Amino acid sequence: MHILATFVQMKNKKLQLVLITVTILSLIALVVIQVSWIVRAANIQEKQFNHSVKLAMKEIVGDIAGNESICKEVADCIGNGGKSSCSRSMKNKVEWTKVDSIVKSALNHYNIKTNYEFDIVNTRMDKDYNVCKKTYFSNNLESVLLQNNIELKIYFPKKREFIAAQIGIMFITSILLITLIGFSFIIILKYYKREKELYKSTRDFINNITHEFKTPITNIALANSMISKSEQVISDEKLSQYANIIKAEQKKLKNRVEGLLDVARIENGNKENCETINICNFIQCTVDSYSVQIQNLNGSINYLQLSDKCTVHANKNQFETVISNLIDNAIKYCDDSPNINIKSYDKGNYIYIAVEDNGIGIKQEHLNQIFEKYFRVPTGDVHNVKGFGIGLSTVKSIVESVNGEISVQSKPGKGSKFVIKLPFCSE
């Protein structure tokens, strides 16, 4: 059993490591996807930019071609003297200002609002022709200007900055989200480690203080036993009553301490040795031990054996805790006379034990929580039933320690049904 507990602990640690690794890999994958998406968005934006520039240049060329004075100046500029560029010779003329106005208007029309430089050049002599990637050339203007290889070129020195600005909000948002997710993961991991250490220290504290309780509880029981045997106490009704109260409360406290110690032993893997037991006989003996108590409450408890398969691999003492806790809960959480029905049956290679009662029941929203340690179903400020909330947690731990399962069905006001599934083993 110790080996099994160690294996379970190793399995849990391995699962935690896998989850952390998967989370980190998911964050890395998210970063890669975001970067890939941003690059793709930038490429799409650049294609859109290029398309808009081509449309704008087509409009610009049409406007320039429709202006005779500009065409004449361009023809004179490039046609005479073999000049390669018109910008130097025309930049101080009115026609060049008109060209600039045409270019700016067309670019604004297509929402291209970034710095630009333009020129009308002879492509045979222009050194930037088909070299600079940030420069755009219009279609040939020879049909307008009656001059071969004359084209308009526009250069955008901050093209990349403009494209980056178009996707800037998305880019910044993506980076912020990735950073926030990563930071949140680190914080969660930090708090997880802190909670784990706190849980461990709390568990150790409870275990230590519980062990410290055992000696005074034993001494109280011994002292009360000695006092109860004295003639003075036997002859005095009140003293005898007080001694019985001390005995009852001492037994109740002892059971609470033993319950906490059982939880500690199971969590730490310090379980007692298991053996092959006849679970049917064991259940019957446990039921018989509760018969008198339940009869005094005008209730009933019945056990129905529906299978000959009864052998399981478990620890007697721990399994007694399982059945006893379920019966105790059926008695404690019943506003009327308790009626408890227990039956065992087999299905496949498993033995099933069903414990059904007529208690107050459990609300649906609490069914998944009742097996958690220290959890008690909320009842407001009134707690008619005392306890630590460790009974069902102990039951679940013991059942799972022998590779079993436990489930519950319940309706408020109707009662609850607990079903234990245990692997069958032969004699």
Side-chain angles (χ1 to χ4, degrees):
M1 295 301 292
H2 179 70
I3 295 175
L4 176 61
T6 305
F7 173 75
V8 171
Q9 291 176 357
M10 291 176 62
K11 189 175 180 181
N12 290 337
K13 289 181 180 179
K14 187 176 180 180
L15 179 61
Q16 293 173 5
L17 182 61
V18 169
L19 290 175
I20 292 173
T21 304
V22 169
T23 305
I24 293 174
L25 291 177
S26 300
L27 287 174
I28 295 174
L30 180 62
V31 172
V32 172
I33 291 171
Q34 287 291 337
V35 171
S36 175
W37 180 83
I38 291 169
V39 171
R40 184 180 178 184
N43 292 333
I44 294 173
Q45 192 66 37
E46 185 171 10
K47 289 180 181 179
Q48 181 64 37
F49 180 83
N50 295 341
H51 180 68
S52 298
V53 170
K54 289 179 181 179
L55 293 176
M57 292 187 73
K58 186 176 181 180
E59 185 177 313
I60 293 168
V61 168
D63 291 342
I64 292 175
N67 194 305
E68 294 183 4
S69 62
I70 294 176
C71 290
K72 184 178 181 302
E73 286 293 333
V74 171
D76 292 341
C77 170
I78 296 181
N80 300 322
K83 295 179 181 178
S84 64
S85 170
C86 290
S87 62
R88 292 185 180 181
S89 59
M90 289 182 62
K91 67 179 180 180
N92 294 324
K93 294 184 178 182
V94 176
E95 286 74 11
W96 197 251
T97 305
K98 291 180 180 179
V99 175
D100 184 37
S101 177
I102 291 171
V103 172
K104 181 180 292 185
S105 176
L107 293 178
N108 287 336
H109 176 72
Y110 289 96
N111 201 30
I112 304 173
K113 298 178 181 180
T114 183
N115 296 337
Y116 65 90
E117 298 172 6
F118 71 95
D119 199 357
I120 298 175
V121 299
N122 185 335
T123 57
R124 292 177 179 175
M125 303 177 67
D126 186 72
K127 62 181 180 179
D128 290 332
Y129 188 66
N130 284 335
V131 175
C132 185
K133 294 182 179 180
K134 295 182 181 180
T135 304
Y136 295 80
F137 289 86
S138 67
N139 293 326
N140 202 303
L141 295 177
E142 60 179 323
S143 60
V144 180
L145 301 177
L146 302 178
Q147 177 71 37
N148 289 330
N149 303 308
I150 296 177
E151 291 189 5
L152 168 72
K153 73 174 183 179
I154 300 179
Y155 172 70
F156 298 95
K158 296 184 177 181
K159 172 185 171 181
R160 292 189 181 277
E161 290 84 345
F162 176 77
I163 294 175
Q166 300 302 304
I167 61 172
I169 296 177
M170 293 183 290
F171 176 78
I172 293 173
T173 303
S174 299
I175 294 299
L176 286 176
L177 286 176
I178 292 172
T179 304
L180 182 62
I181 293 172
F183 181 73
S184 300
F185 172 72
I186 293 172
I187 294 296
I188 291 172
L189 188 61
K190 182 179 179 181
Y191 277 110
Y192 166 74
K193 290 182 178 179
R194 183 183 297 176
E195 290 296 324
K196 190 175 179 181
E197 290 297 325
L198 179 61
Y199 167 76
K200 185 178 178 182
S201 60
T202 303
R203 184 188 65 187
D204 292 340
F205 171 76
I206 292 174
N207 293 345
N208 292 334
I209 199 171
T210 304
H211 277 287
E212 292 296 327
F213 282 158
K214 290 195 70 176
T215 300
I217 289 173
T218 303
N219 292 336
I220 290 172
L222 181 60
N224 185 62
S225 176
M226 298 297 293
I227 293 173
S228 301
K229 293 177 182 179
S230 67
E231 294 182 1
Q232 185 178 358
V233 173
I234 294 174
S235 60
D236 191 317
E237 185 178 348
K238 281 192 174 182
L239 289 178
S240 181
Q241 183 181 0
Y242 294 154
N244 289 332
I245 292 174
I246 293 173
K247 182 179 180 180
E249 294 301 316
Q250 179 270 337
K251 185 176 179 180
K252 189 184 299 183
L253 183 58
K254 180 183 178 182
N255 290 336
R256 296 284 184 267
V257 171
E258 288 296 333
L260 288 172
L261 289 176
D262 284 339
V263 173
R265 280 194 291 267
I266 293 168
E267 288 183 344
N268 294 326
N270 299 326
K271 302 179 181 66
E272 298 176 13
N273 294 327
C274 290
E275 57 185 316
T276 302
I277 61 174
N278 188 311
I279 201 170
C280 300
N281 294 339
F282 195 82
I283 295 173
Q284 186 63 62
C285 291
T286 307
V287 168
D288 292 341
S289 67
Y290 277 90
S291 297
V292 176
Q293 179 183 350
I294 293 178
Q295 285 175 5
N296 291 334
L297 297 172
N298 297 320
S300 65
I301 182 169
N302 301 295
Y303 170 55
L304 180 61
Q305 180 182 336
L306 299 177
S307 171
D308 292 331
K309 292 183 177 181
C310 292
T311 52
V312 297
H313 195 65
N315 177 269
K316 286 184 178 181
N317 294 330
Q318 290 183 351
F319 198 78
E320 182 183 5
T321 301
V322 170
I323 303 299
S324 297
N325 272 334
L326 294 178
I327 295 175
D328 282 337
N329 285 346
I331 296 172
K332 290 189 295 185
Y333 295 99
C334 183
D335 292 335
D336 201 356
S337 299
N339 294 312
I340 305 168
N341 294 303
I342 304 174
K343 64 180 178 179
S344 62
Y345 56 94
D346 68 275
K347 188 183 294 184
N349 294 322
Y350 292 93
I351 299 173
Y352 292 81
I353 304 163
V355 181
E356 190 170 3
D357 62 53
N358 64 331
I360 60 176
I362 307 166
K363 292 182 179 179
Q364 186 68 31
E365 64 259 30
H366 300 310
L367 287 180
N368 293 330
Q369 298 174 283
I370 60 172
F371 293 109
E372 295 178 5
K373 190 162 59 172
Y374 308 130
F375 176 81
R376 302 190 69 196
V377 176
T379 56
D381 295 330
V382 180
H383 294 282
N384 294 326
V385 180
K386 305 301 180 182
F388 295 146
I390 62 172
L392 290 177
S393 172
T394 305
V395 168
K396 185 173 186 288
S397 298
I398 293 173
V399 171
E400 290 181 346
S401 70
V402 292
N403 299 321
E405 299 175 9
I406 183 169
S407 60
V408 59
Q409 301 171 12
S410 185
K411 290 184 179 180
K414 300 291 185 180
S416 303
K417 181 180 179 180
F418 290 87
V419 179
I420 299 172
K421 176 183 176 183
L422 297 173
F424 167 75
C425 68
S426 61
E427 295 281 0

